[in-house]
mmCIF file of all heavy atoms in Angstrom:
data_model
loop_
_atom_site.group_PDB
_atom_site.id
_atom_site.type_symbol
_atom_site.label_atom_id
_atom_site.label_comp_id
_atom_site.label_asym_id
_atom_site.label_seq_id
_atom_site.Cartn_x
_atom_site.Cartn_y
_atom_site.Cartn_z
ATOM 1 N N ILE A 714 75.600 160.296 221.180
ATOM 2 C CA ILE A 714 75.792 161.720 220.853
ATOM 3 C C ILE A 714 75.982 162.485 222.157
ATOM 4 O O ILE A 714 75.160 162.372 223.082
ATOM 5 C CB ILE A 714 74.580 162.285 220.078
ATOM 6 C CG1 ILE A 714 74.382 161.512 218.770
ATOM 7 C CG2 ILE A 714 74.763 163.775 219.798
ATOM 8 C CD1 ILE A 714 73.154 161.929 217.970
ATOM 9 N N ILE A 715 77.040 163.262 222.226
ATOM 10 C CA ILE A 715 77.310 164.073 223.419
ATOM 11 C C ILE A 715 76.864 165.496 223.122
ATOM 12 O O ILE A 715 77.497 166.201 222.329
ATOM 13 C CB ILE A 715 78.809 164.027 223.787
ATOM 14 C CG1 ILE A 715 79.231 162.578 224.016
ATOM 15 C CG2 ILE A 715 79.080 164.880 225.033
ATOM 16 C CD1 ILE A 715 80.724 162.372 224.090
ATOM 17 N N GLY A 716 75.751 165.913 223.722
ATOM 18 C CA GLY A 716 75.229 167.259 223.502
ATOM 19 C C GLY A 716 73.911 167.219 222.751
ATOM 20 O O GLY A 716 73.832 166.678 221.649
ATOM 21 N N ALA A 717 72.860 167.792 223.396
ATOM 22 C CA ALA A 717 71.527 167.824 222.780
ATOM 23 C C ALA A 717 71.192 169.221 222.283
ATOM 24 O O ALA A 717 70.058 169.669 222.339
ATOM 25 C CB ALA A 717 70.483 167.350 223.787
ATOM 26 N N GLY A 718 72.215 169.949 221.810
ATOM 27 C CA GLY A 718 71.985 171.242 221.163
ATOM 28 C C GLY A 718 71.382 170.996 219.782
ATOM 29 O O GLY A 718 71.132 169.845 219.403
ATOM 30 N N CYS A 720 72.618 170.923 216.882
ATOM 31 C CA CYS A 720 73.416 170.068 215.983
ATOM 32 C C CYS A 720 73.342 168.608 216.419
ATOM 33 O O CYS A 720 73.230 167.711 215.578
ATOM 34 C CB CYS A 720 74.853 170.585 215.911
ATOM 35 S SG CYS A 720 74.880 172.321 215.391
ATOM 36 N N GLY A 721 73.369 168.363 217.728
ATOM 37 C CA GLY A 721 73.209 166.998 218.230
ATOM 38 C C GLY A 721 71.835 166.454 217.873
ATOM 39 O O GLY A 721 71.691 165.289 217.479
ATOM 40 N N ASP A 739 73.166 164.967 227.740
ATOM 41 C CA ASP A 739 73.446 166.407 227.912
ATOM 42 C C ASP A 739 73.488 166.766 229.389
ATOM 43 O O ASP A 739 72.708 166.250 230.195
ATOM 44 C CB ASP A 739 72.396 167.267 227.209
ATOM 45 C CG ASP A 739 72.937 168.661 226.908
ATOM 46 O OD1 ASP A 739 73.268 169.412 227.865
ATOM 47 O OD2 ASP A 739 73.054 169.007 225.719
ATOM 48 N N ILE A 740 74.383 167.682 229.713
ATOM 49 C CA ILE A 740 74.529 168.168 231.093
ATOM 50 C C ILE A 740 73.267 168.905 231.534
ATOM 51 O O ILE A 740 72.869 168.834 232.694
ATOM 52 C CB ILE A 740 75.686 169.198 231.206
ATOM 53 C CG1 ILE A 740 76.959 168.687 230.565
ATOM 54 C CG2 ILE A 740 75.906 169.621 232.624
ATOM 55 C CD1 ILE A 740 77.947 169.792 230.231
ATOM 56 N N GLN A 747 72.362 175.904 223.413
ATOM 57 C CA GLN A 747 72.340 177.369 223.552
ATOM 58 C C GLN A 747 70.968 177.950 223.217
ATOM 59 O O GLN A 747 70.516 178.902 223.844
ATOM 60 C CB GLN A 747 73.389 178.005 222.628
ATOM 61 C CG GLN A 747 74.808 177.659 223.009
ATOM 62 C CD GLN A 747 75.819 178.197 222.007
ATOM 63 O OE1 GLN A 747 75.781 179.348 221.608
ATOM 64 N NE2 GLN A 747 76.735 177.341 221.589
ATOM 65 N N VAL A 819 79.607 160.787 218.676
ATOM 66 C CA VAL A 819 79.516 162.102 218.017
ATOM 67 C C VAL A 819 79.563 163.164 219.108
ATOM 68 O O VAL A 819 78.686 163.214 219.976
ATOM 69 C CB VAL A 819 78.208 162.236 217.205
ATOM 70 C CG1 VAL A 819 78.095 163.633 216.598
ATOM 71 C CG2 VAL A 819 78.136 161.166 216.116
ATOM 72 N N ILE A 820 80.579 163.995 219.062
ATOM 73 C CA ILE A 820 80.680 165.082 220.049
ATOM 74 C C ILE A 820 80.026 166.327 219.445
ATOM 75 O O ILE A 820 80.507 166.877 218.451
ATOM 76 C CB ILE A 820 82.155 165.364 220.413
ATOM 77 C CG1 ILE A 820 82.828 164.077 220.914
ATOM 78 C CG2 ILE A 820 82.243 166.460 221.468
ATOM 79 C CD1 ILE A 820 84.326 164.209 221.149
ATOM 80 N N ALA A 821 78.895 166.713 220.018
ATOM 81 C CA ALA A 821 78.178 167.924 219.569
ATOM 82 C C ALA A 821 78.036 168.812 220.795
ATOM 83 O O ALA A 821 76.937 169.217 221.172
ATOM 84 C CB ALA A 821 76.823 167.532 218.991
ATOM 85 N N ALA A 822 79.170 169.073 221.431
ATOM 86 C CA ALA A 822 79.176 169.668 222.779
ATOM 87 C C ALA A 822 79.275 171.188 222.775
ATOM 88 O O ALA A 822 79.512 171.790 223.825
ATOM 89 C CB ALA A 822 80.316 169.064 223.590
ATOM 90 N N GLY A 823 79.055 171.832 221.630
ATOM 91 C CA GLY A 823 79.082 173.301 221.579
ATOM 92 C C GLY A 823 80.409 173.836 222.082
ATOM 93 O O GLY A 823 81.470 173.429 221.636
ATOM 94 N N GLY A 824 80.350 174.725 223.058
ATOM 95 C CA GLY A 824 81.581 175.267 223.639
ATOM 96 C C GLY A 824 81.940 174.503 224.900
ATOM 97 O O GLY A 824 82.628 175.036 225.762
ATOM 98 N N GLY A 825 81.448 173.296 225.031
ATOM 99 C CA GLY A 825 81.617 172.557 226.278
ATOM 100 C C GLY A 825 80.513 172.989 227.214
ATOM 101 O O GLY A 825 79.442 173.404 226.777
ATOM 102 N N SER A 826 80.783 172.942 228.505
ATOM 103 C CA SER A 826 79.748 173.401 229.425
ATOM 104 C C SER A 826 79.904 174.908 229.571
ATOM 105 O O SER A 826 80.903 175.385 230.075
ATOM 106 C CB SER A 826 79.876 172.694 230.770
ATOM 107 O OG SER A 826 81.208 172.666 231.179
ATOM 108 N N PHE A 827 78.916 175.632 229.070
ATOM 109 C CA PHE A 827 79.060 177.088 229.082
ATOM 110 C C PHE A 827 78.491 177.659 230.363
ATOM 111 O O PHE A 827 77.466 177.221 230.859
ATOM 112 C CB PHE A 827 78.417 177.724 227.857
ATOM 113 C CG PHE A 827 77.038 177.264 227.545
ATOM 114 C CD1 PHE A 827 75.947 177.868 228.130
ATOM 115 C CD2 PHE A 827 76.817 176.220 226.647
ATOM 116 C CE1 PHE A 827 74.668 177.452 227.850
ATOM 117 C CE2 PHE A 827 75.544 175.795 226.360
ATOM 118 C CZ PHE A 827 74.456 176.415 226.966
ATOM 119 N N MET A 956 83.271 179.574 228.330
ATOM 120 C CA MET A 956 83.038 178.208 227.903
ATOM 121 C C MET A 956 84.079 177.334 228.586
ATOM 122 O O MET A 956 85.275 177.581 228.431
ATOM 123 C CB MET A 956 83.195 178.083 226.389
ATOM 124 C CG MET A 956 82.195 178.918 225.620
ATOM 125 S SD MET A 956 80.553 178.190 225.678
ATOM 126 C CE MET A 956 79.696 179.193 224.491
ATOM 127 N N LYS A 957 83.609 176.368 229.334
ATOM 128 C CA LYS A 957 84.556 175.453 229.979
ATOM 129 C C LYS A 957 84.523 174.148 229.217
ATOM 130 O O LYS A 957 83.462 173.535 229.084
ATOM 131 C CB LYS A 957 84.135 175.231 231.427
ATOM 132 C CG LYS A 957 84.294 176.474 232.259
ATOM 133 C CD LYS A 957 84.908 176.148 233.605
ATOM 134 C CE LYS A 957 85.382 177.425 234.268
ATOM 135 N NZ LYS A 957 84.940 177.571 235.615
ATOM 136 N N LEU A 958 85.648 173.762 228.709
ATOM 137 C CA LEU A 958 85.693 172.553 227.898
ATOM 138 C C LEU A 958 85.305 171.328 228.716
ATOM 139 O O LEU A 958 84.679 170.396 228.218
ATOM 140 C CB LEU A 958 87.103 172.390 227.321
ATOM 141 C CG LEU A 958 87.228 171.419 226.172
ATOM 142 C CD1 LEU A 958 86.315 171.811 225.025
ATOM 143 C CD2 LEU A 958 88.663 171.343 225.708
ATOM 144 N N ILE A 961 86.080 166.978 228.133
ATOM 145 C CA ILE A 961 86.455 166.737 226.719
ATOM 146 C C ILE A 961 87.980 166.784 226.560
ATOM 147 O O ILE A 961 88.561 166.047 225.760
ATOM 148 C CB ILE A 961 85.777 167.790 225.803
ATOM 149 C CG1 ILE A 961 84.256 167.634 225.873
ATOM 150 C CG2 ILE A 961 86.269 167.678 224.362
ATOM 151 C CD1 ILE A 961 83.467 168.738 225.191
ATOM 152 N N TRP A 964 89.916 163.345 226.773
ATOM 153 C CA TRP A 964 89.500 162.192 225.993
ATOM 154 C C TRP A 964 90.538 161.743 224.949
ATOM 155 O O TRP A 964 90.230 160.953 224.046
ATOM 156 C CB TRP A 964 88.147 162.461 225.311
ATOM 157 C CG TRP A 964 87.023 162.641 226.301
ATOM 158 C CD1 TRP A 964 87.032 162.278 227.617
ATOM 159 C CD2 TRP A 964 85.741 163.235 226.068
ATOM 160 N NE1 TRP A 964 85.838 162.607 228.219
ATOM 161 C CE2 TRP A 964 85.027 163.192 227.298
ATOM 162 C CE3 TRP A 964 85.120 163.806 224.953
ATOM 163 C CZ2 TRP A 964 83.731 163.696 227.423
ATOM 164 C CZ3 TRP A 964 83.828 164.293 225.084
ATOM 165 C CH2 TRP A 964 83.146 164.238 226.310
ATOM 166 N N ILE A 973 87.878 171.035 218.613
ATOM 167 C CA ILE A 973 88.334 169.739 218.120
ATOM 168 C C ILE A 973 88.510 169.809 216.602
ATOM 169 O O ILE A 973 87.520 169.966 215.875
ATOM 170 C CB ILE A 973 87.319 168.634 218.486
ATOM 171 C CG1 ILE A 973 87.061 168.633 220.000
ATOM 172 C CG2 ILE A 973 87.806 167.277 218.004
ATOM 173 C CD1 ILE A 973 85.970 167.672 220.446
ATOM 174 N N ALA A 989 83.139 165.094 215.494
ATOM 175 C CA ALA A 989 82.789 166.327 216.206
ATOM 176 C C ALA A 989 82.055 167.242 215.225
ATOM 177 O O ALA A 989 82.538 167.482 214.118
ATOM 178 C CB ALA A 989 84.029 167.013 216.764
ATOM 179 N N ILE A 990 80.880 167.707 215.637
ATOM 180 C CA ILE A 990 80.083 168.591 214.776
ATOM 181 C C ILE A 990 79.591 169.792 215.583
ATOM 182 O O ILE A 990 79.604 169.777 216.809
ATOM 183 C CB ILE A 990 78.866 167.843 214.169
ATOM 184 C CG1 ILE A 990 77.935 167.323 215.288
ATOM 185 C CG2 ILE A 990 79.294 166.690 213.264
ATOM 186 C CD1 ILE A 990 76.592 166.801 214.774
ATOM 187 N N GLY A 991 79.140 170.827 214.879
ATOM 188 C CA GLY A 991 78.614 172.022 215.551
ATOM 189 C C GLY A 991 79.741 172.899 216.066
ATOM 190 O O GLY A 991 80.890 172.806 215.623
ATOM 191 N N ASP A 992 79.416 173.731 217.043
ATOM 192 C CA ASP A 992 80.361 174.753 217.523
ATOM 193 C C ASP A 992 81.682 174.189 218.039
ATOM 194 O O ASP A 992 82.685 174.901 218.080
ATOM 195 C CB ASP A 992 79.725 175.569 218.658
ATOM 196 C CG ASP A 992 78.765 176.633 218.145
ATOM 197 O OD1 ASP A 992 78.449 176.609 216.936
ATOM 198 O OD2 ASP A 992 78.330 177.480 218.951
ATOM 199 N N ILE A 993 81.690 172.938 218.469
ATOM 200 C CA ILE A 993 82.902 172.370 219.087
ATOM 201 C C ILE A 993 83.974 172.023 218.060
ATOM 202 O O ILE A 993 85.145 171.875 218.402
ATOM 203 C CB ILE A 993 82.541 171.105 219.914
ATOM 204 C CG1 ILE A 993 83.691 170.640 220.826
ATOM 205 C CG2 ILE A 993 82.133 169.945 219.011
ATOM 206 C CD1 ILE A 993 83.884 171.424 222.050
ATOM 207 N N CYS A 994 83.606 171.888 216.787
ATOM 208 C CA CYS A 994 84.597 171.433 215.805
ATOM 209 C C CYS A 994 85.292 172.616 215.127
ATOM 210 O O CYS A 994 84.762 173.721 215.087
ATOM 211 C CB CYS A 994 83.974 170.481 214.783
ATOM 212 S SG CYS A 994 82.936 171.261 213.555
#
Side-chain angles (χ1 to χ4, degrees):
I714 300 176
I715 302 168
C720 304
D739 202 297
I740 310 160
Q747 294 175 48
V819 177
I820 304 173
S826 45
F827 48 87
M956 298 286 189
K957 292 223 165 130
L958 196 58
I961 296 171
W964 295 343
I973 305 174
I990 61 169
D992 281 10
I993 192 77
C994 75

